[in-house]
Amino acid sequence: MSFLNRTTEIKTESLQEKLNDATSAKVSISVPMEHAIIRALEKDTDNLFQAELEYIGELEYDVEHDDDGTTIIGLNERIRNTNYSGELPLWDIKLSPDLPLDLSFELNSGKMEADLREMQLTDIALEMNSGKLDIKLPQSTDTINGNKFVVNSGRVRCSIPPKTIFNSTPLKLNSGHVDIAVAEHSTLAMPKLIVNSGELSVSIGPNVDFAVPSIQVNSGKCHVEIGPGTALETN
């Protein structure tokens, strides 16, 4: 039996949702303090979602099926006792690579490794309150929409592969450190970069179509490194 401290027992749960007739999925994952690993299932498997979870609070897992063929999945954990120490419980989460995905991540503490490179990602939203996040986007010539990108604290590393189109809402950094790496021949459109505090580093590879109409630095630092053949459009 494993414990985070003398009174907090780690519980386990296995979850899965079949593909059935789903044509797309919206998945929302809120991580309060775990080490979450998010990756793709093998191709042509029967499951849309499966997870092996360690947790100390109360899991909230909801599944809905819309008439348009969209499966909506929500995963959260409520923790009443925050007096814990020791290794982080593990969330091992796998998603189907066989249908379009709209993903939403919230990380309140802990760590998340999101390897989305094998998924059919259409939309992504991120809110980071603390901890560490490493996210790798898939290569896609269809537009990937970034619907939210807010970092209140912690450290984020985001990798955009070659020949990928990523259209994001404004990135807002309130504190912490964000590193964004954009590989060659990609398209990245972001209407505004807002740095209220902390440090933002953006590394742009060669021949990237990169447009940022506004960079607003109220405090902290913002570094933008431009590769050959890339023009930075900003005010």
Side-chain angles (χ1 to χ4, degrees), residues 22-26 70 96-102 119-123:
T23 57
S24 65
K26 293 182 178 180
T70 301
S96 173
D98 296 323
L99 80 174
L101 294 172
D102 180 341
M119 300 182 192
Q120 297 182 38
L121 185 66
T122 62
D123 297 81

Side-chain angles (χ1 to χ4, degrees), residues 104-231:
S104 179
F105 298 143
E106 180 181 10
L107 182 61
N108 292 310
S109 184
K111 181 167 63 171
M112 179 184 290
E113 301 169 57
D115 187 349
L116 314 180
R117 290 176 293 181
E118 301 300 321
M119 300 182 192
Q120 297 182 38
L121 185 66
T122 62
D123 297 81
I124 187 165
L126 168 66
E127 181 171 355
M128 176 90 169
N129 294 316
S130 183
K132 184 177 180 180
L133 169 65
D134 189 350
I135 183 167
K136 298 179 175 68
L137 298 184
Q139 190 280 324
S140 178
T141 54
D142 294 325
T143 299
I144 299 172
N145 297 303
N147 297 323
K148 186 177 185 180
F149 203 154
V150 176
V151 178
N152 295 314
S153 184
R155 187 173 188 114
V156 177
R157 293 173 54 188
C158 179
S159 302
I160 301 174
K163 300 179 181 179
T164 295
I165 303 173
F166 185 60
N167 186 4
S168 178
T169 58
L171 185 156
K172 186 175 183 181
L173 174 60
N174 293 319
S175 182
H177 196 132
V178 174
D179 293 297
I180 300 175
V182 185
E184 65 271 13
H185 300 287
S186 290
T187 298
L188 176 61
M190 192 174 288
K192 182 181 285 190
L193 297 174
I194 305 171
V195 181
N196 290 321
S197 183
E199 186 170 352
L200 172 64
S201 298
V202 184
S203 177
I204 308 297
N207 301 302
V208 170
D209 183 6
F210 182 52
V212 180
S214 176
I215 297 179
Q216 179 181 333
V217 181
N218 298 318
S219 182
K221 300 177 181 179
C222 180
H223 309 278
V224 180
E225 180 182 346
I226 303 297
T230 294

Side-chain angles (χ1 to χ4, degrees), residues 30 41 65 87 142 170-171:
S30 180
L41 286 160
H65 303 281
E87 292 187 7
D142 294 325
L171 185 156

